[in-house]
Amino acid sequence: MNTYGIQYVSSREIVDRYLSFFCERGHYELSGSPLVLPGNSTSFVIAGMQPLLPYLRGQTIPPSPRLTCLQRCLRTDDIEAVGINSLKNTSFHMLGNWSIGDYGRREAITMALEFLLEHLGLEKATLWVTVFAGDPELCILPDEAAIEEWVRVGIPRERIVPLGVEDNLWEMGGIGLCGPCSEIFVDRGPNSGCGSLTCRPGCFCDRYLEIWNLVFMEFERLTNGALVSLPRRNVDTGLGLERVASVLQGAESNFSIDLFLPASERLTALQAGGEQTIELRARRIILDHLRAVLLAGFAGVEPGRDGRGSVVRRLIRRAARQGRLLGIQGPFLGELVEPLALGHGSLFTGEEHALLPTLKERITHEEALFARVLTMGLRYLEQIEPDGRNVISGEQLFRLHAEKGFPVDLATEILSERGITVDWLQYERSKEEHRRVSRVSAEKHFRGM
Ligand SMILES: [Zn+2]
């Protein structure tokens, strides 16, 4: 039993129970797509439903109108929040069930609640939900149908919270499929919250943890911004594995669940530092980033200069820098590869486990290449003195990048931890000047030939 008074369930077990629950209810189990979708040249899979878009749009006929799947995702759009926010991961596992023109709100809501209560053992009294409050400007009415369904399955009205477009009108990047959504939250108790009397789902604090999003895809947003109703309605849901595991395992964050436990212990053995906020954040970033690097590696993405490769390189460099904050000198990320794989067990395939020695070597090599630049850059940044307004000249930052090869984003982040900002106008001027000088010297060179 954990702090929620519920039985411990391992991540693997959550996955197995979820997939068999939905298969028993007529869903066809899709194998998760690779993290890199064929034909998608720049990005990773960022949402559980992304590989299903051709089905949801009606471009391809699905193997069944009911689908279920475990999907890996990787997104770095809010990478700075990792470690500060206990829920943010760059890589995560989404469990999902979909109705392609089949069931609607009633079944989606009934099945979700049944799964949480009877198959995961959550208490109904700890659950809250949000629904779409409607929007007069978009001419969409409040989602009374969803409220009705939640009331019907026994969620009291006071725990059904209507929220606006920002929170409860789901869309993926502006145009395309969208619709009102209904999110399920677990109340982690007053001790996890801000203490405000108005604290409820949607509050900035950690008390209400969103675990599952049910999206009722009913509209398509056209390029001119208008919403049109879809001829066939779909349901798209996503249950965050790491989040629900943190609840069922009584873990303080996503990084204290079984998947990360062996790597976390190994990191404790390696680190010299204490247990302050800065070390806690560093540990979370390292665990998060390294797992993302492994998952990308399984999909064939190596650290590099451009596109996905540059994302992997950035993750390794950020993690390496956090190691310094823990008092670890020199490459260490490779040490965590096997413990991380141990924690994930059969969530990594046999072929993926076989790839680990290669990935470990590649990560260590990349980290070692960066180690000297990192040491030098950290020393340089420490010595930088900002002016009275806590701003440094853009030229200093540009030189660190151009002459020493230190990444600008990492330098900016390190400076911002000291409350220092950069004169970006001057940075651009230095960059332009540098370009001009190189051009002139290249021209001279050619004239001399
Ligand atoms: Zn709050």
Side-chain angles (χ1 to χ4, degrees):
M1 296 290 234
N2 62 35
T3 45
Y4 300 90
I6 43 182
Q7 201 74 38
Y8 177 98
V9 187
S10 73
S11 296
R12 174 78 251 179
E13 183 64 24
I14 295 168
V15 171
D16 292 343
R17 287 186 197 176
Y18 186 93
L19 296 175
S20 44
F21 176 86
F22 283 99
C23 285
E24 280 160 19
R25 282 152 190 81
H27 292 66
Y28 177 89
E29 184 187 334
L30 297 168
S31 54
S33 286
L35 209 47
V36 173
L37 287 176
N40 185 335
S41 60
T42 53
S43 161
F44 293 98
V45 170
I46 58 165
M49 48 69 74
Q50 199 181 341
L52 281 81
L53 275 172
Y55 300 146
L56 293 162
R57 286 187 180 132
Q59 295 159 328
T60 312
I61 296 173
S64 159
R66 296 180 173 211
L67 303 167
T68 186
C69 180
L70 170 70
Q71 178 63 47
R72 291 173 182 170
C73 306
L74 199 166
R75 55 199 296 176
T76 53
D77 53 345
D78 47 6
I79 194 168
E80 273 89 14
V82 173
I84 300 170
N85 181 323
S86 64
L87 307 174
K88 280 275 179 279
N89 283 100
T90 53
S91 63
F92 51 93
H93 292 87
M94 285 306 266
L95 284 158
N97 57 284
W98 292 270
S99 151
I100 314 290
D102 191 65
Y103 54 81
R105 284 171 175 74
R106 172 159 295 185
E107 272 173 291
I109 287 173
T110 310
M111 286 190 289
L113 192 69
E114 185 190 347
F115 179 71
L116 293 177
L117 301 182
E118 287 164 37
H119 296 259
L120 292 186
L122 290 178
E123 289 290 335
K124 198 185 249 180
T126 64
L127 299 181
W128 285 64
V129 297
T130 60
V131 293
F132 184 47
D135 188 83
E137 230 167 85
L138 293 169
C139 300
I140 308 178
L141 294 169
D143 196 349
E144 290 296 339
I147 297 176
E148 201 176 293
E149 291 305 325
W150 283 118
V151 170
R152 197 181 57 80
V153 293
I155 300 291
R157 269 194 179 262
E158 59 274 20
R159 284 196 268 124
I160 304 171
V161 183
L163 293 175
V165 171
E166 290 265 294
D167 295 284
N168 282 56
L169 186 70
W170 185 93
E171 46 190 348
M172 193 170 143
I175 52 167
L177 299 171
C178 64
C181 66
S182 186
E183 296 173 326
I184 306 175
F185 289 74
V186 176
D187 179 4
R188 303 206 278 186
N191 292 339
S192 318
C194 60
S196 157
L197 283 176
T198 54
C199 181
R200 53 188 202 159
C203 181
F204 67 90
C205 77
D206 280 345
R207 175 165 178 173
Y208 298 96
L209 172 63
E210 183 213 325
I211 53 168
W212 205 341
N213 192 4
L214 315 179
V215 182
F216 312 116
M217 277 185 183
E218 296 176 343
F219 305 107
E220 173 134 28
R221 191 185 282 280
L222 306 177
T223 38
N224 67 8
L227 283 183
V228 289
S229 282
L230 290 173
R232 196 180 59 178
R233 297 177 172 202
N234 302 320
V235 176
D236 155 40
T237 90
L239 172 71
L241 176 63
E242 285 80 5
R243 289 186 178 195
V244 78
S246 80
V247 174
L248 293 165
Q249 298 176 12
E252 55 91 23
S253 78
N254 284 0
F255 306 100
S256 317
I257 62 171
D258 56 352
L259 301 181
F260 292 105
L261 220 51
S264 178
E265 280 166 8
R266 184 79 190 101
L267 191 53
T268 305
L270 290 172
Q271 86 177 76
E275 289 294 327
Q276 303 300 312
T277 313
I278 190 159
E279 282 95 11
L280 182 68
R281 175 170 177 260
R283 293 172 55 89
R284 288 173 175 177
I285 292 174
I286 291 165
L287 295 172
D288 172 82
H289 287 15
L290 186 63
R291 184 182 61 175
V293 169
L294 278 189
L295 295 182
F298 293 154
V301 183
E302 297 182 24
R305 283 174 61 99
D306 306 305
R308 284 183 279 257
S310 69
V311 173
V312 171
R313 173 160 285 168
R314 183 174 181 213
L315 288 164
I316 294 176
R317 291 177 166 186
R318 282 186 104 239
R321 186 255 162 166
Q322 295 298 324
R324 301 292 174 97
L325 295 179
L326 295 178
I328 307 172
Q329 300 304 325
F332 71 102
L333 294 172
E335 296 288 312
L336 304 174
V337 167
E338 275 142 27
L340 207 48
L342 184 69
H344 283 71
S346 61
L347 287 181
F348 290 175
T349 66
E351 291 90 60
E352 289 170 347
H353 279 278
L355 268 178
L356 293 170
T358 313
L359 292 181
K360 180 177 173 176
E361 206 182 294
R362 194 183 291 157
I363 292 164
T364 306
H365 177 70
E366 176 74 14
E367 201 187 352
L369 278 182
F370 184 58
R372 206 177 52 82
V373 177
L374 180 62
T375 307
M376 180 277 314
L378 290 175
R379 204 175 300 139
Y380 181 94
L381 289 168
E382 242 167 57
Q383 287 161 358
I384 279 185
E385 281 302 327
D387 65 12
R389 298 167 303 138
N390 240 4
V391 179
I392 65 151
S393 86
E395 195 199 337
Q396 281 175 293
L397 182 65
F398 180 75
R399 278 176 44 203
L400 176 66
H401 175 62
E403 293 167 15
K404 324 271 188 195
F406 199 86
V408 174
D409 58 352
L410 190 56
T412 316
E413 206 180 307
I414 293 168
L415 290 167
S416 77
E417 288 167 6
R418 286 168 57 197
I420 300 172
T421 51
V422 178
D423 181 340
W424 288 110
L425 208 63
Q426 202 184 32
Y427 177 89
E428 287 304 324
R429 251 184 259 132
S430 307
K431 200 162 136 186
E432 200 39 57
E433 176 62 15
H434 179 79
R435 262 197 219 126
R436 196 185 59 79
V437 171
S438 340
R439 205 166 43 227
V440 168
S441 72
E443 279 164 12
K444 267 189 197 155
H445 175 76
F446 280 114
R447 272 202 299 272
M449 273 168 75

